DNA sequence: TCGGATACTGAACGCATGTTCAGAACATTA
DNA sequence: TAATGTTCTGAACATGCGTTCAGTATCCGA
């Protein structure tokens, strides 16, 4: 076909409609609704993507590629992973993409692992620069700390987002992100500036136990 | 009926089977599989619970009641909310309950809000005692900090759990929890003992901006 | 202009699900 | 024992889904 206003391939149009529907109605949105949005029959989705799983795979790949591109582009600070999603959500036209990512994170699919891994890597870089600049204290295990902080940020985001509330109103997403950041910023800064625990007895005790345990029972990896 | 080994009402047996199935196969587990597990016809579920939603409501209520009971009972420390789930998971026979809770947290139903709210309240108490004992530093907003820490704990838990991996092997849950705690304990203790940010310029800047903003634009709540 | 490939439709199939319902089995009370 | 209400079954219904398929329109190279 490809008749009027041919700014997109039909296949791409279906993919975009799918991302939007998945973001709005959840990852179990029916193929027929996607087809309807794209102005297309359900059978054509099968023709282009083989199956529902194929469509999901195409969406995942496209989203990951988009993230990769936009990460290098507008993400100057690129530090906190949640901040990246918040920034993306503000960007005109990127709300469906962010919504799709949130749905995936919630359901824990394959994309989740890939995205989280990428965010952990970014956080590692970000923290390393902070350590070099002297604004961030060094860690005994930089990788573990980066993963922990990433999990904290993404996890609390997931727990707080208007979950279950189907459908997810994408138009409200930017405002919601802004409110969320506004809500957590002060306690977050506080807890990462002034230590929650007043002394290091707990940490010392753990390190002590870990040290002796490692020297005695070295059987397990 | 209520014939042999009548240690439970049929209704209770169905509820328990439902919690187990929901935990294992997800909250969209078919009623027929639950009925089969309970040795009962699907129609009987309707007779006792009215609908699928009614069964879910019964499960939610039962789980919340169990949590309330066990909180007062064995939760001596009761501090970190994730720790409570970890402890419960170790307890013989409570793995399905924990699995069900994890599924609910992931899907963000009504139980989620209730449970999270309860855990936030517990954390508030726990932190208050720590502050009084001098082991925990005070906060500018105790409620906000408690919520943040709860979200961190639960969120990172959700993000890390063997998600999407249907079915969830309940027998492996205790071991998984142990491994998870072992993995995050050191970086967690570190980040809450030695401040991540080396100075308070960021926090000060935020408090500064917030203070002046509050004095000038007091329109929004 | 022809012919084959590709894009696309719309109806149909097969399956799983929640729910309904008529009736059987059972318990309880009179 | 008879009557009555509760528990429970098994088949059936209605619906919505992913997928298949035969057939039609459209494009493109020879």
């Amino acid at each position: 076909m490809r008749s009027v206003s041919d700014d997109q391939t039909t296949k791409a149009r279906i993919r975009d409609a799918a991302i939007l529907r998945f973001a709005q109605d959840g990852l179990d949105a029916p193929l027929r609704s996607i087809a309807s949005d794209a102005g297309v029959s359900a059978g054509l989705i099968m023709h282009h993507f083989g199956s529902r799983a194929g469509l999901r795979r195409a969406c995942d790949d496209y989203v990951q590629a988009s993230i990769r591109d936009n990460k290098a582009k507008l993400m100057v600070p690129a530090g906190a992973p949640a901040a990246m999603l918040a920034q993306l959500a503000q960007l005109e036209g990127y709300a469906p993409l962010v919504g799709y990512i949130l749905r995936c994170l919630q359901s824990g699919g394959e994309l989740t692992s890939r995205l989280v891994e990428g965010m952990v890597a970014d956080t590692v870089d970000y923290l390393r620069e902070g350590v070099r600049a002297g604004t961030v204290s060094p860690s005994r295990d930089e990788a573990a700390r980066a993963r922990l902080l990433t999990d904290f940020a993404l996890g609390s985001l997931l727990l707080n987002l208007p979950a279950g509330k189907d459908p997810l109103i994408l138009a409200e997403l930017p405002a919601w992100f802004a409110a969320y950041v506004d809500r957590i910023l002060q306690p977050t800064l506080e807890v990462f500036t002034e230590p929650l625990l007043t002394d290091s007895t707990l940490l010392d005790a753990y390190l002590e136990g870990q040290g002796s345990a490692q020297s005695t029972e070295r059987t397990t990896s």
Side-chain angles (χ1 to χ4, degrees), chain A:
Chain A
M1 278 293 188
R2 216 177 293 185
S3 52
V4 267
S5 79
D6 188 6
D7 52 343
Q8 265 193 141
T9 313
T10 302
K11 195 173 174 181
R13 194 154 35 92
I14 294 175
R15 173 182 28 73
D16 288 352
I19 290 177
L20 199 146
R21 271 287 177 186
F22 285 145
Q24 265 188 350
D25 302 347
L27 295 181
D28 53 353
L31 288 187
R32 283 174 166 86
S33 68
I34 296 168
S36 165
D37 286 359
V40 135
S41 75
L44 190 59
I45 297 184
M46 307 304 297
H47 175 63
H48 278 303
F49 298 95
S51 71
R52 181 189 178 81
L55 176 62
R56 280 296 314 280
R57 231 173 291 127
C59 290
D60 283 6
D61 292 346
Y62 179 77
V63 164
Q64 197 180 18
S66 288
I67 288 294
R68 182 166 27 80
D69 293 351
N70 285 81
K71 191 154 39 175
K73 209 181 299 174
L74 94 141
M75 285 288 298
V76 186
M84 167 175 139
L85 289 180
Q87 270 184 270
L88 256 186
Q90 311 293 334
L91 227 66
E92 187 72 21
Y94 278 84
L97 201 133
V98 174
Y100 182 84
I101 291 176
L102 291 177
R103 295 281 190 189
C104 287
L105 287 176
Q106 206 162 18
S107 306
E110 189 197 350
L111 225 204
T112 306
S113 317
R114 286 191 276 167
L115 284 178
V116 170
E117 232 52 38
M119 289 178 178
V120 169
D122 289 345
T123 306
V124 166
D125 293 345
Y126 187 64
L127 289 176
R128 185 186 302 130
E129 280 202 37
V131 171
R132 189 175 304 156
T135 59
V136 173
S137 62
S139 169
R140 289 164 185 77
D141 187 340
E142 296 289 353
R145 179 173 70 173
R147 181 168 299 274
L148 186 80
L149 294 176
T150 306
D151 288 352
F152 278 178
L154 284 182
S156 94
L157 189 68
L158 283 186
L159 209 61
N160 276 280
L161 71 78
K165 252 67 166 288
D166 286 271
L168 208 170
I169 314 293
L170 293 180
E172 296 176 355
L173 232 168
W176 180 86
F177 261 101
Y180 171 71
V181 169
D182 193 62
R183 181 152 32 97
I184 68 157
L185 196 50
Q186 176 178 324
T188 303
L189 283 175
E190 186 187 87
V191 94
F192 287 138
T193 302
E194 304 165 348
L196 186 75
L197 303 174
T198 52
D199 59 31
S200 61
T201 51
L202 276 178
L203 176 58
D204 290 343
Y206 176 80
L207 291 174
E208 183 79 15
Q210 210 59 11
S212 63
Q214 275 190 346
S215 58
T216 55
E217 38 174 287
R218 205 67 171 93
T219 54
T220 58
S221 150

